Amino acid sequence: MRVAEAQRGAGREAGRLLGLPRATVLDLLIGAAVSIVVAAAITANVGGDRGRDVPAYLFAVGLGALVLLRRRAPATVLVVSAAGLVAYYVAGYPPVGLALPLAAALYSAAEAGQLRWAVLVGLGLLVVSTAFRAVQGASVAYLVGFELASSVAIMAAAVALGDGVRSRRLRRREQRWRLRQLERDHAREAARRVEEERLRIARDLHDVIAHHISVISLHAGVADEALDDDPVAARAALGHVRSATTQVVRELRTTLGLLRDPAGAEPRQPVAGLARLDDLAAGARAAGLRVAVRRRGELSGLPAAVDSTAYRLVQEALTNVLRHADASTVEIDVVRGPRAVAVAVRDDGRGQRGDAPRGYGLGGMRERTALLGGTVTAGNRPGGGFEVRAELPLGGTT
């Protein structure tokens, strides 16, 4: 590991000086090292039928030059190097060993994922070389006990190092891929949450504004009719208009603050829930409706999503009554059961005519309820009027 790090450091320094890519400089250094080692063994001339000559040194240079191709064709470089080494020995040149001339090629093949080629070529060359030299009269004990063992050790180390580098590279690549995948998942989740928050804000804004605008419209009409005959009633109606307008402006300001800067906006007021059901009823009564509210079961401690959705359903239903029903009486029932909260809003108005939709709020009610796994039904009552019913699962609460 330290040797590899030293080689990489030398490659970086040389590449910086020569203006070449680091990989190219590293291959040049390894090729030069292979040529120098083989040339030194040839110069030592410790045996062989032929002495050192120009072809022998050209073989050393060619063996080192093949290293420059190790990244493009590692298996080819390994096979050509092995074949050249066999031809070198068949020609009777001085021995240069097997392991050191082939170490770089074996390493490159294993690093490139050609582990089978590296093992087969290395084993094949060892078997052929040992058998050939034994036939020529070399000592079998020396060949097997010393030279073969050292060659196997060096070759195995080169193959193991190359395979280890490849495994670490694949592991790092997989880690980077997992990290990118995790980042993409986080980005998608963040985008999904932002979209859900926008939809929630849009629904809340629709419900609040629609409700208060209906109240404003109704009281404005009352004030217009009573302005000459009953100034007190007209003044009271205008007071309701002012109050509803203030609430709408406050809600708009809060919502726009969230949309402009969600992180820096002031904290939102607690989401409205069934605890404010009487406020809704009071607003409807102020608009001239007779409102009866009935509760059954413990409504405190409901899941926040269920509590808020139930409140918005009642608010939207009252808004539709004010805008479309021409009713005089409204009944609101909220019942908490063991597994769900049931909400019903009934009026004695004219009901729905044909297939014409009774306002656009029913779609929003169904969307809100569907997010919780609940259901909404709406339609005319048998005795006249209109009814909206909803069931909101408690999600395992009791």
Side-chain angles (χ1 to χ4, degrees), residues 212-228 230-247 282-283 285-288:
H212 289 298
I213 291 297
S214 297
V215 172
I216 291 170
S217 176
L218 182 63
H219 284 293
V222 171
D224 182 61
E225 293 178 0
L227 188 59
D228 295 328
D230 192 351
V232 175
R235 191 173 294 109
L238 290 175
H240 289 299
V241 170
R242 186 183 303 109
S243 175
T245 304
T246 301
Q247 294 184 41
R285 291 189 188 103

Side-chain angles (χ1 to χ4, degrees), residues 38-93:
V38 175
I42 293 173
T43 302
N45 196 16
V46 294
D49 298 332
R50 298 176 60 174
R52 52 195 178 188
D53 56 14
V54 173
Y57 288 107
L58 288 177
F59 168 77
V61 174
L63 203 61
L66 282 174
V67 174
L68 300 178
L69 303 175
R70 71 186 187 94
R71 299 179 190 274
R72 298 180 181 177
T76 301
V77 169
L78 177 61
V79 172
V80 172
S81 298
L85 199 58
V86 170
Y88 174 87
Y89 278 114
V90 169
Y93 283 110

Side-chain angles (χ1 to χ4, degrees), residues 38-304:
V38 175
I42 293 173
T43 302
N45 196 16
V46 294
D49 298 332
R50 298 176 60 174
R52 52 195 178 188
D53 56 14
V54 173
Y57 288 107
L58 288 177
F59 168 77
V61 174
L63 203 61
L66 282 174
V67 174
L68 300 178
L69 303 175
R70 71 186 187 94
R71 299 179 190 274
R72 298 180 181 177
T76 301
V77 169
L78 177 61
V79 172
V80 172
S81 298
L85 199 58
V86 170
Y88 174 87
Y89 278 114
V90 169
Y93 283 110
V96 293
L98 295 176
L100 291 178
L102 280 183
L106 290 170
Y107 168 85
S108 301
E111 183 191 19
Q114 305 289 340
L115 183 62
R116 180 177 299 179
W117 276 100
V119 173
L120 290 178
V121 171
L123 287 177
L125 191 60
L126 287 172
V127 171
V128 170
S129 174
T130 302
F132 180 77
R133 294 184 63 187
V135 169
Q136 285 187 331
S139 171
V140 176
Y142 171 79
L143 291 175
V144 176
F146 176 75
E147 190 169 291
L148 182 62
S150 61
S151 296
V152 168
I154 295 174
M155 287 182 171
V159 172
L161 181 61
D163 188 61
V165 170
R166 176 176 179 271
S167 298
R168 286 193 297 273
R169 183 184 298 120
L170 292 177
R171 194 159 51 247
R172 287 195 298 269
R173 186 179 303 166
E174 182 179 1
Q175 290 173 349
R176 288 194 296 269
W177 180 85
R178 289 181 181 276
L179 182 61
R180 288 194 297 268
Q181 187 68 25
L182 186 61
E183 291 174 349
R184 285 194 293 267
D185 291 343
H186 285 171
R188 283 194 293 266
E189 178 65 16
R192 184 187 65 82
R193 291 181 178 179
V194 168
E195 185 64 23
E196 288 182 354
E197 179 65 11
R198 286 176 176 172
L199 288 175
R200 186 187 67 79
I201 292 174
R203 292 191 189 102
D204 286 350
L205 199 58
H206 168 270
D207 294 346
V208 170
I209 292 179
H211 178 75
H212 289 298
I213 291 297
S214 297
V215 172
I216 291 170
S217 176
L218 182 63
H219 284 293
V222 171
D224 182 61
E225 293 178 0
L227 188 59
D228 295 328
D229 301 331
D230 192 351
V232 175
R235 191 173 294 109
L238 290 175
H240 289 299
V241 170
R242 186 183 303 109
S243 175
T245 304
T246 301
Q247 294 184 41
V248 170
V249 171
R250 184 184 301 116
E251 187 69 24
L252 280 174
R253 185 182 296 115
T254 302
T255 304
L256 290 176
L258 283 172
L259 293 176
R260 286 171 179 165
D261 186 9
E266 296 180 359
R268 296 195 69 186
Q269 297 178 352
V271 178
L274 291 175
R276 293 179 54 188
L277 193 58
D278 289 334
D279 294 339
L280 281 179
R285 291 189 188 103
L289 291 173
R290 292 190 299 273
V291 182
V293 179
R294 290 186 289 269
R295 301 177 178 87
R296 281 189 289 171
E298 181 57 51
L299 298 183
S300 62
L302 289 173

